[in-house]
């Protein structure tokens, strides 16, 4: 038994509606704006990226785009694509700042052995680059002073400097009373004390380039010379890392 012409026409109309629906679902001009996640495969010099075979213009806020980034792509009703930026991969995104602040005083007496500060440390990522700054408030006996050093992940490189009081012998020998020299990121530098209760500060700047091994980046410190008068690093001293790669 064959279908009537009316039934055939109904089937054809139904098929055409379904085809139109499917076409509309795939067409941005019909369905309107859209967004998706995609993985960057190419970074172009003209401000665009290619992700999942889609070329999209990136926002200025998407700093340091890199192959492998998972990004958010927006599409407008004309079919043009915009890259809003990189999805966060954890608590340490590129462009982000992290601050470690001392929430209590730490005093060390009769020791020149370096030990990590209980508050001033960070977990850092492999192959990342960080800018460092910070501010320390301390006091120390003139015979004890303070020596700062760092714990770094294996293979990390960089430099740091601390602007602070020189120890007496270094100041006399070099003709200055403030430390300004650059120091390797894994090297120690000593600063002078002016006596218990005579508070001094150290302004810290630097760059940390982490190699293939992630790990802990931490300030360590001790007295320069073991002394019975405590060397103290005070509450509200802080360090900050700005990840740039």
């Amino acid at each position: 038994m064959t279908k009537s012409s009316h039934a055939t026409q109904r089937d054809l109309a139904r098929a055409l509606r379904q085809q139109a629906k499917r076409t509309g679902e795939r067409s941005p001009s019909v369905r309107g704006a859209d967004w998706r996640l995609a993985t960057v495969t190419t970074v172009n010099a003209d401000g665009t990226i290619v992700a999942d075979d889609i070329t999209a213009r990136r926002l200025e806020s998407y700093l340091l785009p890199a192959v492998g980034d998972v990004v958010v792509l927006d599409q407008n009703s004309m079919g043009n694509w915009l890259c809003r930026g990189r999805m966060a991969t954890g608590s340490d995104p590129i462009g982000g700042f992290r601050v470690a602040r001392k929430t209590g005083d730490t005093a060390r007496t009769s020791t020149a052995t370096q030990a990590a500060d209980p508050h001033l440390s960070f977990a850092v990522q492999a192959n990342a680059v960080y800018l460092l700054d910070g501010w320390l408030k301390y006091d120390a006996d003139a015979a004890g002073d303070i020596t700062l050093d760092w714990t770094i992940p294996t293979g990390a490189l960089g430099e740091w400097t601390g602007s602070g009081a020189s120890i007496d012998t270094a100041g006399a020998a070099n003709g200055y009373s403030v430390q300004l020299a650059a120091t390797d990121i894994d090297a120690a530098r000593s600063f002078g004390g002016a006596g218990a209760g005579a508070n001094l500060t150290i302004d810290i700047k630097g760059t940390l380039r982490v190699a293939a091994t992630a790990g802990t980046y931490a300030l360590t410190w001790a007295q320069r010379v073991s002394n019975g008068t405590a060397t103290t690093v005070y509450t509200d001293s802080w360090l900050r890392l700005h990840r740039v790669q």
Side-chain angles (χ1 to χ4, degrees):
M1 181 177 181
T2 59
K3 288 186 177 182
S4 69
S5 60
H6 290 298
T8 301
Q9 290 174 356
R10 285 196 300 270
D11 289 346
L12 177 60
R14 185 180 302 111
L16 290 174
R17 287 196 298 272
Q18 291 298 320
Q19 182 180 9
K21 180 176 181 293
R22 289 192 295 270
T23 300
E25 288 172 345
R26 292 192 293 266
S27 174
S29 62
V30 175
R31 73 173 183 262
D34 192 10
W35 73 273
R36 60 178 291 176
L37 299 181
T39 301
V40 175
T41 54
T42 306
V43 177
N44 298 317
D46 63 355
T48 63
I49 55 94
V50 179
D52 293 357
D53 296 323
I54 297 168
T55 299
R57 181 159 298 281
R58 61 186 175 89
L59 294 180
E60 189 174 5
S61 57
Y62 178 21
L63 302 175
L64 301 172
V67 172
D69 287 348
V70 177
V71 296
V72 177
L73 300 182
D74 274 349
Q75 187 181 43
N76 67 12
S77 60
M78 297 300 293
N80 299 315
W81 288 93
L82 178 71
C83 178
R84 291 195 173 275
R86 178 189 299 107
M87 295 292 290
T89 56
S91 59
D92 189 19
I94 295 174
F97 289 86
R98 287 186 295 155
V99 176
R101 181 182 67 87
K102 283 191 70 62
T103 57
D105 299 345
T106 301
R108 291 179 178 163
T109 306
S110 301
T111 180
T113 300
Q114 288 286 306
D117 187 274
H119 306 108
L120 302 179
S121 66
F122 303 89
V124 293
Q125 302 300 311
N127 303 309
V129 177
Y130 300 88
L131 305 184
L132 164 70
D133 65 335
W135 177 82
L136 299 184
K137 175 186 175 183
Y138 74 100
D139 74 15
D141 188 79
D145 300 326
I146 188 171
T147 297
L148 305 185
D149 203 347
W150 306 91
T151 296
I152 64 172
T154 301
L157 298 171
E159 290 190 292
W160 73 283
T161 185
S163 299
S166 289
I167 59 176
D168 292 342
T169 53
N174 294 288
Y176 56 77
S177 59
V178 176
Q179 294 274 29
L180 296 173
T183 308
D184 285 344
I185 199 66
D186 61 348
R189 182 160 292 276
S190 296
F191 299 86
N199 297 329
L200 299 171
T201 63
I202 304 169
D203 186 40
I204 294 173
K205 297 283 191 299
T207 303
L208 171 68
R209 291 179 281 123
V210 184
T213 303
T216 298
Y217 180 62
L219 176 70
T220 71
W221 61 274
Q223 295 176 310
R224 183 178 69 88
V225 178
S226 179
N227 187 271
T229 300
T231 295
T232 302
V233 177
Y234 287 104
T235 302
D236 290 334
S237 298
W238 56 269
L239 296 176
R240 177 171 58 183
L241 290 183
H242 177 199
R243 185 175 176 186
V244 295
Q245 181 176 320

